[in-house]
Amino acid sequence: MGASNNLCSFETELAACAKARGLRIEPLGSALGHTLTIATRAARRAPAARLLIAAGFHGEEPAGPWGMVEFLRLAPDALLDRAELSLIPLVNASGFAAGRRLNDSGENPNRGYGARCGDDLPSAEGRVLVAHGQRLLHAAADGLLCCHEDLAEHATYAYTFEPGRAPGAFSHGLIDTAARYFALPPDGEIDGLPVRNGLIHNHYDGSFEAWLCESGVPAAACIETPGQQDFGRRVLAQAALMQAFVALRAGA
Ligand code: NI
């Protein structure tokens, strides 16, 4: 791996892993001079869960995209075979290349979606994703995982969405995996939101994940690895969380 924000190196390694694991990469559209791609892999076994994993919404959170490369290297065939898998490896390529949260137009690619968007409009990347809303909703029919980092944190946590007032097996399964890599934050607040056992539950905020959940996706999570910790460990944690997500939703 080169520098964590080396876009060329990332795209080369991702393409090689995707090819080796039998994924097909195709363009969804173009945003700020970069092609936003989706990689898909058909299930080899039935019944299969339709699962979508998306990374790289924020350019200064590189462990998500690199974690997807590691996931494609490490995930057992027996796990991948149970899912109709769709991956969006890097939403915000211009921000990633610059090591910067926002895109080249100063927009936040994880705001401006759905009913709770408030005054926010989708970013250039968001407009591409919204244009493919029905396809993405179908791809995430059994679950969605969005991969983020919190640069200020030493601890790991997740926003999770599933029916009911309290987090269920899906949320707990994911955070238990994250806790194998990093400490959980103390119960209290993060960014003004209540966090308990490392989980912020059913918070709808105009994000990509909130939008797809509003639209019917039954379970989703936005995982946050801690930017204050070692980068290699964050990458491994992201890859493990992707594997856990597939296992939890595909029943593997
Ligand atoms: Ni983020």
Side-chain angles (χ1 to χ4, degrees), residues 37-123:
T37 61
I38 189 166
T40 54
R41 185 181 192 275
R44 313 304 205 251
R45 292 177 57 182
R50 305 194 61 88
L51 303 176
L52 173 63
I53 306 177
F57 286 86
H58 294 136
E60 91 292 35
E61 303 173 9
W66 284 107
M68 196 171 280
V69 170
E70 207 60 27
F71 165 72
L72 288 174
R73 286 195 182 121
L74 298 176
D77 282 331
L79 181 65
L80 298 184
D81 288 352
R82 298 188 67 101
E84 287 283 334
L85 198 58
S86 299
L87 308 177
I88 300 176
L90 181 57
V91 172
N92 177 9
S94 69
F96 180 90
R100 182 194 59 223
R101 180 174 186 80
L102 305 179
N103 69 14
D104 271 355
S105 294
E107 300 166 323
N108 182 344
N110 202 30
R111 282 294 181 274
Y113 299 93
R116 316 287 176 91
C117 65
D119 294 330
D120 295 328
L121 295 172
S123 68

Side-chain angles (χ1 to χ4, degrees), residues 150-245:
D150 188 326
L151 274 287
E153 275 290 333
H154 288 84
T156 187
Y157 63 97
Y159 298 82
T160 58
F161 301 79
E162 58 183 322
R165 293 172 60 93
F170 169 69
S171 302
H172 287 294
L174 277 181
I175 204 66
D176 287 352
T177 299
R180 296 209 307 265
Y181 291 83
F182 305 109
L184 301 182
D187 289 355
E189 288 193 350
I190 289 181
D191 293 338
L193 300 170
V195 58
R196 201 160 176 230
N197 300 317
L199 297 170
I200 297 169
H201 186 57
N202 287 347
H203 173 66
Y204 289 86
D205 57 359
S207 64
F208 178 74
E209 55 274 13
W211 167 49
L212 287 197
C213 286
E214 287 164 2
S215 308
V217 168
C222 164
I223 55 174
E224 302 273 359
T225 48
Q228 295 297 309
Q229 302 284 0
D230 174 71
F231 178 64
R233 191 160 178 82
R234 284 148 51 200
V235 170
L236 290 175
Q238 291 276 349
L241 282 157
M242 293 177 208
Q243 288 201 50
F245 165 71

